[in-house]
Amino acid sequence: ELQLVESGGGLVQPGGSLRLSCAASGFTFSNVFMSWLRQAPGKGVEWVSGINAVGTTYYADSVKGRFTISRDNAKNTLYLQLNSLKTEDTATYFCAKVPDGVAVYTIPPRRDWGQGTQVTVSA
């Protein structure tokens, strides 16, 4: 059974940094495309970043140059480094397993996400 567990969220001031982690189990992590999604209060789900099995990375324009996605296949763990945080980055962040053959920015089915970790950027 697929399991994704995010951690690392918290309260940070504008300009600050956080590192999110996502521990994966129940599938062959090293073979799949993984994404980070986020959902701000009262808004829809937004695709943030993705990484394929060989480490090629993709970013939404809103986070490009500030966020860095990475993976450690030996640890079955996905990461998202968040730098230069802005108040508009406040959201619940989810990691997700992406099905084969879909576009990079596809939002996967809810069953393939973790439970999320809250990031709040506030002075």
Side-chain angles (χ1 to χ4, degrees):
E1 178 184 356
L2 180 148
Q3 188 169 17
L4 297 168
V5 180
E6 301 93 336
S7 61
L11 173 64
V12 62
Q13 293 185 340
S17 298
L18 284 173
R19 189 192 195 202
L20 308 184
S21 299
C22 170
S25 61
F27 63 100
T28 305
F29 177 78
S30 59
N31 289 352
V32 304
F33 192 105
M34 297 292 295
S35 284
W36 285 97
L37 315 172
R38 67 185 181 185
Q39 187 167 26
K43 296 190 176 182
V45 177
E46 177 187 15
W47 176 81
V48 174
S49 182
I51 184 168
N52 69 12
V54 297
T56 304
T57 58
Y58 306 85
Y59 298 95
D61 287 344
S62 58
V63 307
K64 199 172 296 183
R66 300 187 299 120
F67 291 7
T68 303
I69 190 172
S70 62
R71 67 194 298 162
D72 186 335
N73 289 337
K75 295 183 178 179
N76 285 354
T77 303
L78 180 72
Y79 302 99
L80 188 68
Q81 178 69 40
L82 289 64
N83 295 332
S84 302
L85 281 161
K86 306 175 181 180
T87 56
E88 53 262 44
D89 294 319
T90 294
T92 302
Y93 284 72
F94 303 90
C95 65
K97 174 181 174 292
V98 179
D100 289 339
V102 302
V104 162
Y105 46 80
T106 298
I107 305 293
R110 184 61 183 89
R111 64 176 181 269
D112 291 336
W113 307 5
Q115 85 291 346
T117 186
Q118 177 67 38
V119 172
T120 302
V121 185
S122 175

